Coordinates of all heavy atoms in Angstrom, one line a residue:
M729 N 7.1 -1.7 -20.0 CA 6.3 -2.3 -21.0 C 4.9 -1.6 -21.0 O 4.3 -1.5 -20.0 CB 6.1 -3.8 -20.8 CG 5.4 -4.6 -21.8 SD 5.4 -6.3 -21.4 CE 4.3 -6.9 -22.5
T730 N 4.5 -1.2 -22.1 CA 3.2 -0.5 -22.2 C 2.2 -1.5 -22.8 O 2.4 -2.4 -23.5 CB 3.2 0.7 -23.2 OG1 3.6 0.3 -24.5 CG2 4.2 1.7 -22.6
E731 N 0.9 -1.3 -22.4 CA -0.2 -2.2 -22.8 C -0.8 -1.6 -24.0 O -1.0 -0.4 -24.1 CB -1.2 -2.3 -21.6 CG -2.2 -3.4 -21.9 CD -3.1 -3.5 -20.7 OE1 -2.6 -3.7 -19.6 OE2 -4.4 -3.5 -20.9
H732 N -1.1 -2.5 -24.9 CA -1.8 -2.0 -26.2 C -2.8 -3.0 -26.6 O -2.9 -4.1 -26.1 CB -0.7 -1.8 -27.3 CG 0.1 -3.1 -27.6 ND1 -0.4 -4.0 -28.5 CD2 1.2 -3.6 -27.1 CE1 0.4 -5.1 -28.5 NE2 1.5 -4.7 -27.7
T733 N -3.7 -2.6 -27.5 CA -4.7 -3.5 -28.0 C -4.1 -4.6 -28.9 O -3.1 -4.3 -29.7 CB -5.8 -2.8 -28.8 OG1 -5.2 -2.0 -29.9 CG2 -6.5 -1.7 -27.9
P734 N -4.6 -5.8 -28.8 CA -4.0 -6.8 -29.7 C -4.5 -6.8 -31.1 O -5.4 -5.9 -31.5 CB -4.6 -8.1 -29.0 CG -5.9 -7.7 -28.3 CD -5.6 -6.3 -28.0
R735 N -4.0 -7.7 -31.9 CA -4.4 -7.7 -33.4 C -5.8 -8.0 -33.4 O -6.4 -8.7 -32.5 CB -3.5 -8.7 -34.0 CG -2.1 -8.5 -34.2 CD -1.4 -9.5 -35.0 NE -1.8 -10.8 -34.6 CZ -1.0 -11.8 -34.1 NH1 0.3 -11.5 -33.9 NH2 -1.5 -12.9 -33.7
P736 N -6.5 -7.6 -34.5 CA -8.0 -8.0 -34.6 C -8.1 -9.5 -34.6 O -7.3 -10.3 -35.2 CB -8.3 -7.4 -36.0 CG -7.3 -6.3 -36.3 CD -6.1 -6.8 -35.5
G737 N -9.1 -10.0 -33.9 CA -9.4 -11.4 -33.8 C -8.6 -12.2 -32.7 O -8.8 -13.3 -32.5
R738 N -7.7 -11.4 -32.1 CA -7.0 -12.1 -31.0 C -7.6 -11.8 -29.6 O -8.1 -10.6 -29.4 CB -5.6 -11.4 -31.0 CG -4.6 -11.9 -30.1 CD -3.9 -13.1 -30.6 NE -3.0 -13.5 -29.5 CZ -2.2 -14.5 -29.6 NH1 -2.2 -15.2 -30.7 NH2 -1.4 -14.7 -28.7
T739 N -7.6 -12.6 -28.8 CA -8.2 -12.5 -27.5 C -7.1 -12.1 -26.4 O -6.0 -12.4 -26.7 CB -8.9 -13.7 -26.9 OG1 -8.0 -14.8 -26.9 CG2 -10.0 -14.2 -27.9
W740 N -7.6 -11.4 -25.4 CA -6.7 -11.0 -24.3 C -6.3 -12.3 -23.6 O -7.1 -13.2 -23.3 CB -7.4 -10.1 -23.3 CG -7.7 -8.7 -23.9 CD1 -8.9 -8.2 -24.4 CD2 -6.7 -7.7 -24.0 NE1 -8.7 -7.0 -24.8 CE2 -7.4 -6.6 -24.6 CE3 -5.3 -7.5 -23.7 CZ2 -6.8 -5.4 -24.9 CZ3 -4.8 -6.3 -24.0 CH2 -5.4 -5.2 -24.6
E741 N -5.1 -12.3 -23.2 CA -4.6 -13.5 -22.4 C -4.2 -12.9 -21.1 O -3.3 -12.0 -21.0 CB -3.3 -14.1 -23.1 CG -3.6 -14.7 -24.4 CD -2.4 -15.3 -25.1 OE1 -1.3 -15.3 -24.4 OE2 -2.5 -15.6 -26.2
T742 N -4.8 -13.4 -20.0 CA -4.6 -12.9 -18.7 C -4.2 -14.0 -17.8 O -4.6 -15.2 -18.0 CB -5.8 -12.2 -18.1 OG1 -6.9 -13.1 -18.0 CG2 -6.3 -11.0 -18.9
A743 N -3.4 -13.8 -16.8 CA -3.0 -14.8 -15.8 C -3.5 -14.3 -14.5 O -3.3 -13.2 -14.1 CB -1.5 -15.0 -15.8
L744 N -4.2 -15.2 -13.8 CA -4.7 -14.8 -12.4 C -3.6 -15.3 -11.4 O -3.1 -16.3 -11.5 CB -6.0 -15.6 -12.1 CG -7.2 -15.3 -13.1 CD1 -8.4 -16.1 -12.7 CD2 -7.5 -13.8 -13.0
A745 N -3.4 -14.4 -10.5 CA -2.4 -14.6 -9.4 C -3.1 -14.4 -8.1 O -3.8 -13.5 -7.9 CB -1.3 -13.7 -9.6
R746 N -2.8 -15.3 -7.1 CA -3.4 -15.2 -5.8 C -2.5 -14.2 -5.1 O -1.3 -14.4 -5.0 CB -3.4 -16.6 -5.2 CG -4.5 -17.5 -5.8 CD -4.7 -18.7 -4.9 NE -5.0 -18.4 -3.5 CZ -6.2 -18.7 -3.0 NH1 -7.1 -19.4 -3.8 NH2 -6.6 -18.4 -1.9
A747 N -3.1 -13.3 -4.4 CA -2.3 -12.3 -3.7 C -2.6 -12.4 -2.2 O -2.3 -11.5 -1.4 CB -2.7 -10.9 -4.2
E748 N -3.2 -13.6 -1.8 CA -3.5 -13.7 -0.4 C -2.3 -14.1 0.4 O -1.5 -14.9 0.1 CB -4.5 -14.9 -0.3 CG -5.1 -15.1 1.1 CD -6.2 -16.1 1.1 OE1 -6.9 -16.2 0.1 OE2 -6.3 -16.8 2.1
I749 N -2.1 -13.4 1.6 CA -0.9 -13.6 2.4 C -1.4 -14.1 3.8 O -2.3 -13.4 4.3 CB -0.1 -12.4 2.5 CG1 0.4 -11.9 1.2 CG2 1.1 -12.6 3.5 CD1 1.1 -10.5 1.2
V750 N -0.9 -15.2 4.3 CA -1.3 -15.7 5.6 C -0.4 -15.0 6.6 O 0.8 -15.2 6.6 CB -1.1 -17.2 5.6 CG1 -1.5 -17.7 7.0 CG2 -2.0 -17.8 4.6
V751 N -1.1 -14.4 7.6 CA -0.3 -13.7 8.7 C -0.7 -14.5 10.0 O -1.8 -14.7 10.3 CB -0.8 -12.2 8.8 CG1 -0.1 -11.6 10.0 CG2 -0.5 -11.6 7.5
P752 N 0.4 -15.0 10.6 CA 0.1 -15.7 11.9 C -0.5 -14.8 13.0 O -0.3 -13.6 13.0 CB 1.6 -16.1 12.4 CG 2.5 -15.7 11.4 CD 1.8 -14.9 10.3
D753 N -1.3 -15.4 13.9 CA -2.0 -14.7 15.0 C -1.1 -14.0 15.8 O -1.4 -12.9 16.4 CB -2.9 -15.6 15.7 CG -4.1 -16.0 14.9 OD1 -4.5 -15.4 13.9 OD2 -4.6 -17.1 15.2
D754 N 0.1 -14.5 16.1 CA 1.0 -13.9 17.1 C 2.0 -13.0 16.4 O 3.0 -12.5 17.0 CB 1.8 -15.0 17.8 CG 2.7 -15.9 16.9 OD1 2.4 -15.8 15.6 OD2 3.5 -16.6 17.3
A755 N 1.8 -12.6 15.2 CA 2.6 -11.6 14.5 C 2.4 -10.3 15.0 O 1.3 -9.9 15.4 CB 2.4 -11.7 12.9
P756 N 3.5 -9.4 15.1 CA 3.3 -8.1 15.6 C 2.4 -7.2 14.6 O 2.4 -7.5 13.4 CB 4.7 -7.4 15.6 CG 5.5 -8.3 14.8 CD 4.8 -9.6 14.7
D757 N 1.8 -6.2 15.1 CA 1.0 -5.3 14.3 C 1.9 -4.7 13.3 O 3.0 -4.3 13.5 CB 0.3 -4.3 15.1 CG -0.8 -4.9 16.0 OD1 -1.3 -5.9 15.6 OD2 -1.2 -4.3 17.0
P758 N 1.3 -4.4 12.1 CA 2.2 -3.7 11.0 C 2.5 -2.3 11.4 O 1.7 -1.7 12.1 CB 1.3 -3.8 9.8 CG 0.0 -4.0 10.3 CD 0.0 -4.7 11.5
R759 N 3.6 -1.8 11.0 CA 4.0 -0.4 11.3 C 3.2 0.5 10.5 O 2.9 0.3 9.3 CB 5.5 -0.3 11.0 CG 6.1 1.0 11.5 CD 7.6 0.9 11.3 NE 8.2 2.1 11.9 CZ 9.3 2.7 11.4 NH1 10.0 2.1 10.5 NH2 9.7 3.9 11.9
S760 N 2.8 1.6 11.0 CA 2.0 2.6 10.3 C 2.9 3.3 9.2 O 4.1 3.3 9.4 CB 1.4 3.7 11.2 OG 2.4 4.3 12.0
N761 N 2.4 3.8 8.2 CA 3.1 4.4 7.1 C 3.7 5.7 7.5 O 3.4 6.3 8.6 CB 2.3 4.5 5.8 CG 1.2 5.5 6.0 OD1 1.2 6.4 6.9 ND2 0.2 5.5 5.1
R762 N 4.6 6.2 6.7 CA 5.4 7.4 7.1 C 4.5 8.6 7.3 O 4.8 9.4 8.3 CB 6.5 7.7 6.0 CG 7.3 8.9 6.3 CD 8.4 9.0 5.3 NE 9.3 10.0 5.6 CZ 9.3 11.2 5.1 NH1 8.5 11.5 4.1 NH2 10.2 12.1 5.4
A763 N 3.5 8.8 6.4 CA 2.6 10.0 6.6 C 1.9 9.9 7.9 O 1.8 10.9 8.6 CB 1.6 10.0 5.4
A764 N 1.5 8.8 8.3 CA 0.7 8.6 9.6 C 1.6 8.9 10.8 O 1.3 9.5 11.8 CB 0.1 7.3 9.7
R765 N 2.8 8.3 10.7 CA 3.8 8.6 11.8 C 4.1 10.1 11.9 O 4.2 10.6 13.0 CB 5.1 7.8 11.6 CG 4.9 6.3 11.7 CD 6.2 5.6 11.8 NE 7.1 5.9 10.7 CZ 7.3 5.2 9.6 NH1 6.5 4.2 9.4 NH2 8.2 5.5 8.7
R766 N 4.4 10.8 10.8 CA 4.7 12.2 10.8 C 3.5 13.0 11.4 O 3.7 13.9 12.2 CB 5.0 12.7 9.4 CG 6.3 12.2 8.9 CD 6.6 12.6 7.5 NE 6.3 14.0 7.3 CZ 7.3 14.9 7.1 NH1 8.5 14.6 7.0 NH2 6.9 16.2 6.8
A767 N 2.3 12.6 11.0 CA 1.1 13.4 11.5 C 1.0 13.2 12.9 O 0.6 14.1 13.7 CB -0.2 12.8 10.8
L768 N 1.2 12.0 13.5 CA 1.2 11.7 14.9 C 2.2 12.6 15.7 O 1.9 13.2 16.7 CB 1.3 10.2 15.2 CG 1.3 9.8 16.7 CD1 -0.1 10.1 17.3 CD2 1.6 8.4 16.8
K769 N 3.4 12.6 15.1 CA 4.5 13.4 15.8 C 4.1 14.9 15.7 O 4.3 15.7 16.7 CB 5.8 13.2 15.0 CG 6.5 11.9 15.4 CD 7.1 12.1 16.8 CE 8.1 11.0 17.0 NZ 8.6 11.0 18.4
R770 N 3.5 15.4 14.6 CA 3.1 16.8 14.5 C 2.1 17.1 15.5 O 2.1 18.1 16.1 CB 2.7 17.0 13.1 CG 2.4 18.5 12.8 CD 2.2 18.7 11.3 NE 1.3 17.8 10.6 CZ 1.6 16.9 9.7 NH1 2.9 16.7 9.3 NH2 0.7 16.1 9.2
Q771 N 1.1 16.2 15.7 CA 0.0 16.4 16.7 C 0.6 16.4 18.1 O 0.2 17.2 18.9 CB -1.0 15.3 16.5 CG -2.2 15.5 17.4 CD -3.0 16.7 17.0 OE1 -3.1 17.1 15.8 NE2 -3.6 17.4 17.9
Q772 N 1.5 15.6 18.4 CA 2.1 15.5 19.7 C 2.9 16.9 20.0 O 2.8 17.4 21.1 CB 3.1 14.4 19.8 CG 2.4 13.0 20.0 CD 3.3 11.8 19.9 OE1 4.4 11.9 19.5 NE2 2.8 10.7 20.2
R773 N 3.6 17.3 19.0 CA 4.3 18.5 19.2 C 3.4 19.8 19.4 O 3.6 20.6 20.2 CB 5.2 18.9 18.0 CG 6.5 18.1 18.0 CD 7.4 18.7 17.0 NE 6.9 18.9 15.6 CZ 7.0 18.0 14.6 NH1 7.6 16.9 14.8 NH2 6.4 18.3 13.4
K774 N 2.2 19.7 18.7 CA 1.3 20.8 18.7 C 0.6 20.9 20.1 O 0.4 21.9 20.7 CB 0.2 20.6 17.7 CG -0.7 21.7 17.4 CD -1.7 21.2 16.3 CE -1.9 22.4 15.3 NZ -2.8 22.0 14.3
T775 N 0.2 19.7 20.6 CA -0.4 19.7 22.0 C 0.6 19.9 23.1 O 0.2 20.5 24.1 CB -1.1 18.3 22.2 OG1 -0.2 17.3 22.1 CG2 -2.2 18.1 21.2
R776 N 1.8 19.5 22.9 CA 2.9 19.8 23.9 C 3.2 21.3 24.1 O 3.5 21.7 25.2 CB 4.1 19.0 23.6 CG 5.1 19.0 24.7 CD 6.3 18.1 24.3 NE 6.8 18.6 23.0 CZ 7.6 17.8 22.3 NH1 8.0 16.6 22.6 NH2 8.1 18.3 21.1
N777 N 3.1 22.0 23.0 CA 3.5 23.5 23.0 C 2.3 24.3 23.6 O 2.5 25.5 23.7 CB 3.8 24.0 21.6 CG 5.1 23.3 21.2 OD1 5.9 22.9 22.0 ND2 5.4 23.3 19.9
R778 N 1.2 23.8 23.9 CA 0.1 24.6 24.4 C 0.3 25.0 25.8 O 0.9 24.5 26.7 CB -1.2 23.8 24.3 CG -1.7 23.8 22.9 CD -3.1 23.1 22.9 NE -3.6 23.2 21.5 CZ -4.8 22.9 21.1 NH1 -5.6 22.5 22.1 NH2 -5.2 23.0 20.0

């Protein structure tokens, strides 16, 4: 669905949504993204080959 300007004289209708997520204190740390994991592995390989 593409966004377009409304008819003249018409106001924008928006809906506000709460995006807050409660995370318990004892929850495990989130996993790093793929790019970060690959960079870490690359760095480990680089330092190991020295």
Side-chain angles (χ1 to χ4, degrees):
M729 182 175 170
T730 60
E731 188 174 310
H732 60 86
T733 55
R735 294 187 312 245
R738 181 86 179 181
T739 59
W740 290 99
E741 295 177 11
T742 59
L744 298 177
R746 289 189 62 115
E748 187 174 325
I749 299 171
V750 178
V751 178
D753 290 336
D754 58 349
D757 289 336
R759 189 172 181 207
S760 56
N761 65 17
R762 183 172 184 260
R765 290 193 309 267
R766 286 174 51 106
L768 181 61
K769 282 287 198 185
R770 189 168 48 248
Q771 186 65 34
Q772 288 172 346
R773 281 195 310 266
K774 195 182 223 182
T775 57
R776 188 176 53 200
N777 290 337
R778 286 185 174 189

